[in-house]
Amino acid sequence: MIVDCAIYREGHRTEGPEDLSDALDQARSAGGFVWIGLHEPSENEFELVTKEFGLHPLAVEDALKAHQRPKLEVYDDSLFVVLKPVVYEPESDTVSTGEVMLFLGDGFVVTVRHGVGSPLKAVRDRLEHEPKLLGKGPTAVLYAVADAVVDHYLEVATELGTDLEELEAEVFSPDGGGSRNTASRIYTFKRQILEFRRATVPLSMPLTRLAGVGAYGGTVPFVNERARPFFRDVNDHLARVNESVEGLDRLVSDVLSAHLAQMSVRQNDDMRKISAWAAMAAIPTMIAGIYGMNFEHMPELHWVWAYPAVIALMAVLEVLLYRTFKRRGWL
């Protein structure tokens, strides 16, 4: 569905006509641009936009189906950019992603939103209060959306860092993270990191192209070259995010390894204790087994003090074994 449609002239909003072709003609004649926002449009709803703005069918297919990686693609009449906003849900400590697609062309911007975490409404409101920036045209919209998405990445990375600190405290607590759910929580957290990386890492190349740096830097159609410093700033923020994500991924792997090592040590300790108690139980069992064989001629069998002597021998041997195992840390 079409969420919003407006024409912007010199950074100021004017409501666009219902006919999209008329809106585009008015925007171009006035030196402005038309900005159309859609939310999870159907194929029929998007067909009119496709015809009026001449969008490439491959890009339209991606915009309808969603589930795309962040990317930048250049077509004859438009520029297609995919961003993945990320939302952190503190109630469940999970990361969820949405998608924002932008079509930029001569005098128009079409934004398509899928899922949660879209910054588009807030971005539009902010730009409408900054007419000087909005007056730069479709490039300003692309910059503002990318900047909002990446800035929110920083907030999510901070939240994930806090969660990781809690996991570390649990694993390295006095009980050694003995809860059965600890390993499951660590693995689930690692899955959240992976979901986050899928949104942030692939975005590096598109922003590098927009910033005009590196081997992939160069002129991007439909994007004002004067905006390169602004995209470089966004790219720097993204680099910080990716560094944080890499650090979180390494740390959570180390935490998982430490937890498994602690579990292994704990199991070895348990096996030593079981072995020690089994060895202590073996001596009286052996002596009692010998005297239970019912032979007629047994050593000291008819002695008056034979029974208490055997019991005392068992007790002495048990004490010696207990002290030996205790001194070696087996008990």
Side-chain angles (χ1 to χ4, degrees), residues 251-315:
L251 282 174
V252 74
S253 297
D254 293 342
V255 169
L256 180 59
S257 298
H259 175 68
L260 295 177
Q262 287 183 335
M263 294 295 293
S264 178
V265 171
R266 188 177 298 109
Q267 289 176 353
N268 290 336
D269 289 340
D270 293 339
M271 289 302 300
R272 284 202 301 265
K273 291 179 181 179
I274 293 173
S275 300
W277 286 111
M280 293 174 62
I283 290 179
T285 301
M286 179 187 67
I287 297 175
I290 292 175
Y291 277 88
M293 289 188 294
N294 297 321
F295 289 115
E296 181 178 354
H297 301 288
M298 293 284 293
E300 300 87 24
L301 187 61
H302 299 288
W303 287 13
V304 176
W305 296 101
Y307 176 75
V310 170
I311 296 299
L313 176 63
M314 292 182 182

Side-chain angles (χ1 to χ4, degrees), residues 189-246:
F189 185 81
K190 193 170 181 64
R191 293 289 301 177
Q192 305 307 314
I193 296 296
L194 178 60
E195 184 72 15
F196 194 24
R197 290 186 64 179
R198 288 173 179 170
T200 64
V201 174
L203 184 58
S204 179
M205 186 175 293
L207 284 180
T208 299
R209 290 185 62 185
L210 292 170
V213 296
Y216 298 98
T219 301
V220 179
F222 310 107
V223 175
N224 193 325
E225 292 188 9
R226 295 182 179 179
R228 285 184 174 183
F230 297 94
F231 285 111
R232 280 200 294 269
D233 180 67
V234 178
N235 195 32
D236 289 341
H237 291 174
L238 180 64
R240 289 173 51 194
V241 172
N242 285 331
E243 289 175 359
S244 298
V245 172
E246 291 293 335

Side-chain angles (χ1 to χ4, degrees), residues 308-325:
V310 170
I311 296 299
L313 176 63
M314 292 182 182
V316 170
L317 292 176
E318 290 294 304
V319 170
L320 289 175
L321 284 176
Y322 179 82
R323 294 184 62 182
T324 300
F325 291 143

Side-chain angles (χ1 to χ4, degrees), residues 37-59:
L38 300 99
H39 176 245
E40 297 183 357
S42 65
E43 186 173 351
N44 292 332
E45 291 173 337
F46 205 48
E47 184 177 1
L48 178 60
V49 178
T50 302
K51 291 180 178 179
E52 294 297 339
F53 295 100
L55 305 180
H56 196 280
L58 292 178

Side-chain angles (χ1 to χ4, degrees), residues 22 28 70 76-77 81 86 116-117 127 129 140 164 196 208 213-214 224 226 235 256 269 272 276 279 287 331:
D22 292 341
R28 287 174 174 172
D76 293 336
D77 299 322
V81 181
V86 174
V116 298
L127 284 175
H129 287 84
L164 181 57
F196 194 24
T208 299
V213 296
N224 193 325
R226 295 182 179 179
N235 195 32
L256 180 59
D269 289 340
R272 284 202 301 265
I287 297 175
L331 293 174

